[in-house]
Amino acid sequence: GRYADCLVNVYLATMVFLFPGGYTQWIFFYLSVSHIYIYVYDHYRVLRVVPRATFSSMNIDFCAQALLAPACGILLVAIIFKGNCIAGSYCLDAAPLLSACFFAFLAHCAIHIFLLSCLVPLFGLREKGYRKDAKKYSEVAASEPCSWFSANPIHCLRSKFVFNHSPPCSYFMAGLESKMEVNESIGCFFKENATVVEDARSYYMPKWRDVNIFLKKSTGATQSG
């Protein structure tokens, strides 16, 4: 997905600062090109290919932002590592320098995630209470045949042969909704309402006699004309 691609690119770009520079500007140029390509591709995919998307919570977005904490920590480690023994700066041996980089990385990640969890939500707009138009699961499941239970064939088999539910959870198949049975104790609420089926026998089907009458009328009209 978009988050994984962007995170991998950011991690690769930040780790470059730990090595001797020379092509840093080109790396970030191609990083920008890569992100533009990812954005254009996702924009096309979401608008033209993906039939439906469900965003039940912001957990994935929060995890993606939290995973950027180590990337920023790597930048701090690069600053400490590259600033060692520069004129007018500190000068540490290998072991103290490694310890300083390690604890700076951990401290940054802890502060980053703390601010992300406690400070950032203070600037967001939150709805107070539940939505007024929210429905219960039983209400939605009564109108939607495809649910987490009915769309899972393993769950339906387990319901029938392991738990011996009566009736068991019906497996959802498009066009066979009328075969699904209700068992509210296991979360199955859907039952298709009886529909009026058209009777083909009620349609008027022309007979050969009608065709002959039509041809005679057409011929008579032509001759009179």
Side-chain angles (χ1 to χ4, degrees), residues 102-179:
F102 178 74
F103 286 108
F105 176 82
L106 294 181
H108 170 81
C109 290
I111 296 173
H112 188 122
I113 295 177
F114 173 78
L115 295 177
L116 188 63
S117 303
C118 300
L119 181 63
V120 173
L122 298 178
F123 297 93
L125 299 177
R126 292 185 176 181
E127 292 187 10
K128 297 182 179 180
Y130 295 99
R131 293 173 49 185
K132 296 181 180 180
D133 60 341
K135 295 183 179 181
K136 296 181 179 179
Y137 170 79
S138 57
E139 297 175 349
V140 178
S143 59
E144 293 290 338
C146 184
S147 66
W148 186 91
F149 301 104
S150 61
N152 189 336
I154 303 301
H155 175 78
C156 295
L157 291 173
R158 189 187 300 117
S159 173
K160 182 175 182 179
F161 297 105
V162 178
F163 298 112
N164 298 319
H165 292 148
S166 180
C169 180
S170 302
Y171 181 60
F172 168 74
M173 295 184 67
L176 297 178
E177 292 86 351
S178 60
K179 304 297 183 180

Side-chain angles (χ1 to χ4, degrees), residues 82-98:
K82 289 298 184 77
N84 189 42
C85 293
I86 293 181
S89 180
Y90 55 89
C91 191
L92 302 176
D93 294 332
L97 179 61
L98 182 62

Side-chain angles (χ1 to χ4, degrees), residues 14-27:
T14 53
M15 286 190 291
V16 168
F17 289 105
L18 296 174
F19 301 92
Y23 298 95
T24 306
Q25 67 277 14
W26 285 107
I27 290 174

Side-chain angles (χ1 to χ4, degrees), residues 11-39:
Y11 273 93
L12 292 176
T14 53
M15 286 190 291
V16 168
F17 289 105
L18 296 174
F19 301 92
Y23 298 95
T24 306
Q25 67 277 14
W26 285 107
I27 290 174
F28 278 88
F29 170 75
Y30 287 116
L31 174 68
S32 302
V33 173
S34 175
H35 283 187
I36 292 173
Y37 166 76
I38 293 171
Y39 174 79

